[in-house]
Amino acid sequence: MKKKIILIGGGGHAQSCIEIINQHKEFKLIGFFDKNKNIKKIFGFNNLYLKNEDINFFKNKINFLILGIGFIKNSKQREKIYQELVNNKFKFENLISKNSTLSKFAKIGKANQIFNNVIVNAGSVIEDNVILNNNCLIDHNCKVGQNTHISTGAILNGDVVIGNNTFIGSGAIINQGIKVGKNCIIGSGSIIKKNIPDNCMYKDRKMVKKI
């Protein structure tokens, strides 16, 4: 029997999630849930909010949820929605592309999304509610904190630690052994050679504290 899913969100990130959901024959997407009533369908799937505005109505009709909301300026909205739904006894499952490579010696938490052509090498730990976007590399013995987004083509070299609620932009390179704090934003294309404290933005080769 297929596992029935509702997708939370109807934007671009949700559409990327549908791409991965469709790789899995054991999953059945019954629709998505978005408060924007102008989004009625995506890829033929219905906005269930238009049918019933209370997502609790669907709780007994599904097996789990997928959070189709990306990192919008910061992780707060994504984290808030995730925690509210968990507190309301909804279940989440990892969404992992069949085109990605995960070492059997890596540890993967729950409610994570791992998109196409991602590599997670041996000894790495991916905590909960993390996005690993297309073509990113998590090398050996890295740790990626919860609610974090590693964007397209980013590279974490060996022994890198990324704090909770942090965004690593497309094509960024984090050198071996570097620690990036929590609540940080690392701009696209950045090369990080020194540790980054909590609550910092690094962009255009400059660091701005307290974002």
Side-chain angles (χ1 to χ4, degrees):
M1 183 178 294
K2 291 188 175 183
K3 297 178 181 179
K4 295 180 181 179
I5 306 167
I6 286 178
L7 181 63
I8 304 299
H13 187 77
Q15 293 176 33
S16 295
C17 289
I18 291 175
E19 166 73 22
I20 307 304
I21 291 168
N22 282 344
Q23 294 179 7
H24 294 269
K25 293 182 180 180
E26 69 272 25
F27 294 167
K28 181 179 181 180
L29 180 61
I30 66 170
F32 66 99
F33 205 83
D34 195 298
K35 292 182 179 180
N36 184 348
K37 294 183 178 181
N38 292 322
I39 306 175
K40 296 181 180 180
K41 286 180 179 288
I42 49 175
F43 304 145
F45 296 99
N46 293 321
N47 186 351
L48 300 175
Y49 183 84
L50 301 177
K51 182 177 180 180
N52 193 311
E53 296 180 359
D54 184 2
I55 194 170
N56 292 291
F57 173 80
F58 300 97
K59 186 180 292 184
N60 295 325
K61 302 178 183 295
I62 60 170
N63 299 102
F64 61 89
L65 300 174
I66 296 292
L67 186 54
I69 297 171
F71 197 102
I72 304 171
K73 295 184 179 180
N74 57 54
S75 68
K76 290 181 180 178
Q77 181 185 14
R78 179 181 171 83
E79 180 184 8
K80 179 182 177 182
I81 292 172
Y82 170 71
Q83 199 58 57
E84 286 177 351
L85 290 167
V86 168
N87 291 343
N88 206 17
K89 308 303 182 184
F90 281 97
K91 295 180 179 179
F92 286 81
E93 184 157 316
N94 287 325
L95 181 63
I96 300 174
S97 169
K98 291 183 176 294
N99 300 320
S100 285
T101 302
L102 278 61
S103 170
K104 67 179 181 179
F105 302 111
K107 293 183 179 180
I108 310 296
K110 59 187 179 183
N112 294 308
Q113 296 171 4
I114 301 177
F115 287 88
N116 292 315
N117 304 313
V118 171
I119 297 174
V120 179
N121 275 336
S124 286
V125 176
I126 310 300
E127 295 194 347
D128 299 338
N129 197 32
V130 169
I131 300 170
L132 301 181
N133 221 323
N134 297 311
N135 299 297
C136 71
L137 167 62
I138 314 298
D139 209 352
H140 64 84
N141 302 110
C142 291
K143 182 179 179 181
V144 178
Q146 61 188 9
N147 309 313
T148 285
H149 185 159
I150 310 298
S151 195
T152 51
I155 296 173
L156 308 189
N157 286 295
D159 300 296
V160 164
V161 176
I162 307 295
N164 296 346
N165 312 314
T166 283
F167 178 82
I168 307 296
S170 297
I173 299 173
I174 316 297
N175 280 7
Q176 182 154 341
I178 293 297
K179 295 182 179 180
V180 177
K182 62 184 180 181
N183 306 313
C184 290
I185 295 177
I186 305 300
S188 298
S190 297
I191 299 176
I192 306 301
K193 300 179 180 180
K194 296 182 179 180
N195 292 345
I196 305 293
D198 295 345
N199 307 305
C200 286
M201 175 184 288
Y202 187 95
K203 185 177 181 181
D204 300 328
R205 301 183 181 181
K206 296 180 182 179
M207 187 162 63
V208 181
K209 295 192 72 174
K210 302 303 179 185
I211 56 174

